[in-house]
Amino acid sequence: MTKPITLVVTILMGLVILGLGGFTAIQLKQAKQDTIISKQDHTLSLSTSFIFPKAKPLAPFSLTDQHGNQFTNAQLANKWSLFFIGYTSCPDVCPTTMGKLTSAYPELQNHSEVQVIFLSVDPQRDTQDKLLSYMNFFNPQFTAVTGDHAQLFPLTRDLGFVYAMIGDGEDYQVDHSAAMALISPSGQKVAIIKPKSSSPGKLPQITNNNLIADVNKIISYYQ
């Protein structure tokens, strides 16, 4: 009788151990989920940016860069991307913003590789040669892309930007957003960096200090 009793006890002990193991695994899984939720609920202290509650992948697009190469979602992989829209004939916002990005660029590389993408919404005038000259003037490491409006409209909307042609003839202007969009290395839109007024009556702008601090904080947060 001793052997059967011992066998039963052994089986019962094994079942208890398995049960405890399963319970521990569930607890660990729940703890991991709680950590993720806690991280998502944590609010970053940002000066001029807004993080989306849920990162959203960009819809497929196909554009052409200043070197004549195809630029698609694939070129967003494995690096952070900072999008800004405009056009090379822009008299104020674009050259000012490009100058700021050129100045901020070295510090934007502190936490991870960041590529700056100038998205031209004036394909009629912004030829490949013109985009190349524009990037060479500000920073040859930047990427300039454009395409027809059938590609530009859905992409700009996806990024959270708007633009519209103002005026007739060759001297028309383009009214466009002055914000920037930060895209993760997985090709997801995670944040918008918006111009902000430092005091009532002052023109909203994105200062270099705020831009650098916010982008580095967001990248660190996601890493």
Side-chain angles (χ1 to χ4, degrees):
M1 294 293 292
T2 304
K3 288 185 178 180
I5 292 174
T6 302
L7 180 60
V8 170
V9 171
T10 302
I11 292 172
L12 288 174
M13 287 181 65
L15 290 173
V16 169
I17 291 170
L18 287 173
L20 288 173
F23 177 75
T24 301
I26 292 172
Q27 291 292 96
L28 289 172
K29 183 178 180 181
Q30 185 62 48
K32 184 177 180 180
Q33 289 175 341
D34 290 344
T35 300
I36 293 172
I37 291 171
S38 175
K39 182 179 179 181
Q40 290 173 341
D41 288 344
H42 176 66
T43 302
L44 286 177
S45 176
L46 301 172
S47 299
T48 190
S49 306
F50 169 78
I51 290 185
F52 294 100
K54 184 177 181 181
K56 177 187 174 185
L58 292 178
F61 63 85
S62 180
L63 303 171
T64 304
D65 69 14
Q66 75 265 36
H67 303 292
N69 300 319
Q70 186 181 40
F71 190 92
T72 68
N73 304 70
Q75 276 65 53
L76 304 179
N78 304 318
K79 65 187 73 173
W80 288 86
S81 301
L82 192 60
F83 271 90
F84 170 69
I85 73 167
Y87 62 116
T88 63
S89 302
C90 178
D92 39 41
V93 176
C94 296
T96 299
T97 302
M98 292 297 291
K100 287 183 178 181
L101 286 169
T102 298
S103 176
Y105 186 67
E107 290 189 66
L108 288 174
Q109 310 299 314
N110 282 347
H111 291 271
S112 185
E113 183 180 359
V114 178
Q115 63 175 341
V116 174
I117 302 167
F118 175 76
L119 177 57
S120 169
V121 289
D122 187 13
Q124 182 177 336
R125 294 181 296 194
D126 284 348
T127 62
Q128 179 187 330
D129 288 342
K130 201 165 185 179
L131 290 176
L132 180 61
S133 296
Y134 202 66
M135 291 303 101
N136 285 342
F137 177 79
F138 286 104
N139 191 330
Q141 292 180 286
F142 290 178
T143 299
V145 296
T146 194
D148 57 39
H149 292 295
Q151 281 285 343
L152 293 172
F153 274 126
L155 176 58
T156 54
R157 187 169 57 247
D158 210 10
L159 288 167
F161 301 147
V162 294
Y163 73 94
M165 303 322 195
I166 307 297
D168 299 316
E170 296 181 358
D171 295 327
Y172 65 87
Q173 294 193 2
V174 184
D175 192 8
H176 62 87
S177 301
M180 303 178 196
L182 185 62
I183 311 301
S184 73
S186 59
Q188 295 184 315
K189 181 177 66 176
V190 300
I192 286 287
I193 298 126
K194 295 184 175 182
K196 185 177 180 182
S197 180
S198 58
S199 61
K202 282 198 173 183
L203 189 68
Q205 61 175 319
I206 300 172
T207 67
N208 271 15
N209 287 339
N210 288 342
L211 171 66
I212 294 165
D214 281 9
V215 169
N216 285 340
K217 281 181 183 178
I218 294 168
I219 290 175
S220 296
Y221 173 76
Y222 272 91
Q223 289 178 336

